[in-house]
Amino acid sequence: MIQFRDLQKQYAALKPAVDEAVAGVFTSTHFIGGSEVSSLESELADFVGTTHCISCANGTDALSLALMAWGIKAGDAVFVPDFTFFASAEAPAHIGATPILVDVDAQTYNIDPQKLEEAIRAVHKEGSLTPKVVVTVDLFGLPADYSEIRRICNTYGLLILEDAAQAFGGSYKGQKACSFGDISTTSFFPAKPLGCYGDGGAIFTDNDEWASLIRSYAVHGKGSMKYDNVRVGVNSRLDAIQAAILRVKFAAFKDYELDAINKTADYYDVGLKDSGCELPVVPASYYSSWAQYTIRLPQGTDRNAMQEYLKGQGIPTMVYYPKPLHQQPALKDIARRFGDNEVSSALCETVLSLPIHPYLETYEVDQVISEVCSFLKSRL
Ligand SMILES: *Cc1c(COP(=O)(O)O)cnc(C)c1O
């Protein structure tokens, strides 16, 4: 049976090591903090190439903690791509800042640097908000266009918050995702490229001051110790069981999973070449960690019917995302935009994500390819 993301096969492959790691935490009864958490943090920082890694409770908190460390508040403009998961805009909105929704690039689905620059200029011109931060999302595993975005942020004095919740393991010009932001974040939600067995997240930065602020905000605004509270923070920690599981899974991730999932993506590319769909674009010098393999269906395809058909053949699919953020009711009176964001709207009408994970067998990929092609041919 084809799974959209097969966590059962993964557990079967890693079971002895995962079970032993979890049993080790049970025996130690060191459930919060401790050596599993600090070892994981240094292993992740090493891999990504940043000075600091601070683990926390989930990827949404990771974004919030970064914004708290920067003192982002009401009256500040935070630029966010319109085509992403809700949390990218929810974090700035939650602390009272105004998300400015920017359209994405039609090829990479990541924030369009030219439209970003136009939006920054529009906010400056309009004058009621102060541009502060760009949340760059590395959508579906592919890092955003950091050479352009960094140039723009330098020009206008903005900070980059890299939301790499979907892109741990991705890279650009050999540099790893989670190292492009002034602060970068990721999520260990089970279905993300590196997932744990519950909720989890992490924050990465080279800046010592922000790192210590984040460590403080994440533990009730602690000062010299937990019962010296120097600022109002939150309680957001990764627990030791999750850290122990992540250390096992991280070894497999580096060892073969990332490679395996890239081979599957290549295999899809070849098999779907003449399907009439637009395939995911990975520009030169980029490497994706394939949180999703997302195609765009030919104009006029009945996506619901196609999903139903594939489901009938035992092939699960998902629509990431059915709505651009500017159509989300929760953001209606909060977020703003300066363009029509037509690329984001069009993507939401036509995208379809196919099953992809490191344990997908070649014959299963063949089956997906053949059913996708046969549905599309029958509709010609
Ligand atoms: C999953 C995700 C998040 C949030 O991560 P959680 O761990 O679920 O809180 C944030 N941004 C993006 C782009 C995501 O895909």
Side-chain angles (χ1 to χ4, degrees), residues 57-61 63 84-85 87-88 137 139 163 165-166 186-189 192 199-201 321:
N58 56 68
T60 308
D61 278 7
L63 292 167
T84 177
F85 180 58
S88 311
V137 178
L139 202 74
D163 179 353
Q166 301 182 9
T186 198
S187 163
F188 304 125
F189 181 81
K192 306 279 171 157
D199 276 312
Y321 293 94

Side-chain angles (χ1 to χ4, degrees), residues 8-21:
Q8 275 172 349
K9 264 194 201 164
Q10 186 189 46
Y11 178 52
L14 306 176
K15 185 172 180 354
V18 167
D19 290 359
E20 191 189 329

Side-chain angles (χ1 to χ4, degrees), residues 372-380:
V372 165
C373 292
S374 100
F375 178 87
L376 291 172
K377 242 182 248 143
S378 73
R379 301 291 151 138
L380 278 183

Side-chain angles (χ1 to χ4, degrees), residues 81-84 102-106 109-112 115 343-344 347:
D82 202 356
F83 186 62
T84 177
V102 179
D103 209 1
V104 297
D105 179 89
Y109 311 160
N110 281 326
I111 196 165
D112 181 327
K115 289 177 183 160
V343 176
S344 299
L347 285 173

